[in-house]
């Protein structure tokens, strides 16, 4: 079998206590259904999650590392962009 | 060794899971793709768990000097009660897949009914197993349809595997006196009553996979009575090697 027809999929899992899906890894599959099954077998056998997303890797657009400066640095010096002046009341979870 | 009817029935269910699990382990590290390797190992482990549940119960029914290990590693082929389909060689991926699919479809309908058994322990084992076998069926059905609709070559291979294994499919719906009696008591599932539901599933999937149902009606049977094909002996020799070389060895 050749990997030509087996594109790469990225796998995101939402854990039972989690609020959002986290990227856990990738795998090869011939179609979306197989990707879901493979993800279940490879990444959720120890009850890590209750929801799986699979996305063809080719669908994902990543920020370029050479543009890192322009992308992320300008925010570093602007303290008014960071919510560091608030106190969080007790009992608020997932912050 | 003589077993009660209920023990024999439980062994038939457990042995089929155990022998199929043993077959699937042979794929470990040899499957066509990494992901398939993981999937087959997972299915094998599910079946091994089911086998342990059935064999532990059979040992309990049998009496104090028995346990699941003695039953798994201490019986030879004439005492094994699995259906013949489960012991067929892995062959290539198409053969394994077809064997898996025909058995998965049967396990789903069987365990759905067995979960209603008057025997609380059998019902509990079946209820736990049903979630697993539904997933197995999803996996094997998906692959059947995929390869049936794949290349001309993959379609031919699937058809060839189907033609080869079809003669072992009849045994799953054959009832002997023991099963009929236990079914009348509400303990066992009468295998004859499973055929229609199984055929609906299988014929529909074969159609979706562009495969032709074999016309052959010459079914091979005997596994449930301990009369096996030439394939089970070597499988058990491999599986039981350690207990045969060092009887009662524990670690």
């Amino acid at each position: 079998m050749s990997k030509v027809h087996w594109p790469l999929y990225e796998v995101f899992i939402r854990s039972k206590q989690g609020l959002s899906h986290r990227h856990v890894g990738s795998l090869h599959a011939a179609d979306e259904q197989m990707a879901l099954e493979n993800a279940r077998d490879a990444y959720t056998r120890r009850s890590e999650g209750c929801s799986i997303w699979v996305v063809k890797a080719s669908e994902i657009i990543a920020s370029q590392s050479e543009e890192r400066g322009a992308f992320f640095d300008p925010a570093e010096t602007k303290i008014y962009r960071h919510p560091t002046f608030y106190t969080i009341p007790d009992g608020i979870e997932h912050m | 060794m003589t077993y009660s009817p209920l023990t024999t029935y439980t062994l038939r269910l457990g042995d089929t899971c155990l022998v199929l699990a043993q077959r699937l382990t042979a794929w470990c590290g040899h499957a066509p793709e990494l992901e398939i390797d993981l999937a087959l190992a997972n299915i094998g482990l599910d079946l091994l768990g089911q086998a342990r549940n059935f064999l532990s119960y059979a040992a309990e029914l049998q009496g104090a000097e028995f346990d699941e290990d003695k039953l798994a590693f201490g019986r030879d082929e004439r005492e094994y009660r699995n259906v013949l389909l489960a012991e067929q060689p892995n062959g290539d991926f198409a053969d394994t897949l077809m064997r898996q699919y025909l058995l998965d479809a049967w396990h789903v309908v069987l365990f759905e009914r067995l979960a209603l058994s008057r025997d609380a322990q059998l019902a509990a084992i079946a209820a736990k197993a049903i979630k697993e076998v539904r997933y197995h069926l999803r996996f094997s059905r998906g692959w059947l349809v995929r390869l049936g609709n794949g290349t001309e070559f993959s379609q031919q291979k699937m058809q060839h595997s189907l033609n080869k294994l079809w003669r072992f499919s009849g045994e799953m719906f054959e009832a002997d006196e023991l099963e009929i009696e236990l079914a009348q008591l509400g303990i066992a599932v009468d295998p004859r009553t499973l055929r229609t539901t199984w055929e609906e599933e299988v014929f529909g999937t074969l159609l979706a996979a562009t495969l032709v149902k074999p016309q052959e009606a010459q079914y091979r049977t005997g596994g449930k009575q301990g009369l096996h094909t030439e394939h089970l002996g070597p499988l058990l020799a491999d599986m039981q090697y350690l207990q045969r070389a060092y009887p009662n060895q524990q670690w």
Side-chain angles (χ1 to χ4, degrees), chain A residues 71-84:
Chain A
F71 252 70
F72 305 110
D73 284 356
E76 295 289 322
T77 53
K78 303 186 177 77
I79 54 168
Y80 51 84
R81 291 193 173 195
H82 304 292
T84 48

Side-chain angles (χ1 to χ4, degrees), chain B residues 12 27 91-92 101 104 114 125 130 149 158 160 166 186 189 199 214 230 247:
Chain B
R12 287 175 180 183
W27 273 105
D92 56 23
Y101 173 71
D104 288 345
L114 191 65
I125 296 171
I130 188 75
N149 291 289
M158 292 311 295
H160 180 66
W166 190 251
V189 178
E199 283 184 346
E230 69 271 30

Side-chain angles (χ1 to χ4, degrees), chain A residues 56-69:
Chain A
K56 259 204 188 105
S58 57
E59 298 288 326
I60 294 178
I61 318 295
S63 60
Q64 299 303 312
S65 53
E66 59 268 21
E67 290 169 353
R68 209 183 161 281

Side-chain angles (χ1 to χ4, degrees), chain B residues 45 83 126 133 156 218:
Chain B
L45 283 171
V83 295
V133 294
Q156 274 172 10
Q218 278 296 324

Side-chain angles (χ1 to χ4, degrees), chain A residues 34-68:
Chain A
M34 195 198 298
L36 268 182
E37 283 164 22
N38 289 345
R40 176 265 193 188
D41 282 340
Y43 293 111
T44 70
R45 289 292 295 198
R46 297 180 189 86
S47 57
E48 289 91 338
C50 55
S51 167
I52 305 174
W53 289 347
V54 288
V55 185
K56 259 204 188 105
S58 57
E59 298 288 326
I60 294 178
I61 318 295
S63 60
Q64 299 303 312
S65 53
E66 59 268 21
E67 290 169 353
R68 209 183 161 281

Side-chain angles (χ1 to χ4, degrees), chain A residues 3 28 31 33 37 40, chain B residues 33 35 42 135 138 146:
Chain A
K3 285 277 188 198
H28 287 274
D31 55 49
Q33 217 48 48
E37 283 164 22
R40 176 265 193 188
Chain B
E33 294 286 349
E35 289 84 359
N42 274 322
Y135 187 81
R138 183 183 152 148
R146 219 173 267 130

Side-chain angles (χ1 to χ4, degrees), chain B residues 92-99 101 140 143-165 206 209-212:
Chain B
D92 56 23
F93 184 53
D95 295 331
T96 289
L97 199 60
M98 189 57 75
R99 180 188 64 199
Y101 173 71
S140 57
W143 271 102
L144 210 73
V145 173
R146 219 173 267 130
L147 291 175
N149 291 289
T151 62
E152 200 181 325
F153 183 60
S154 74
Q155 199 264 358
Q156 274 172 10
K157 281 187 89 68
M158 292 311 295
Q159 185 67 53
H160 180 66
S161 303
L162 177 64
N163 299 349
K164 237 188 331 189
L165 292 170
L206 291 183
T210 71
L211 300 173
V212 183

Side-chain angles (χ1 to χ4, degrees), chain B residues 108-119:
Chain B
V108 167
V109 292
L110 170 65
F111 290 155
E112 274 174 358
R113 294 275 307 282
L114 191 65
L116 309 171
S117 168
R118 280 195 188 156
D119 184 292

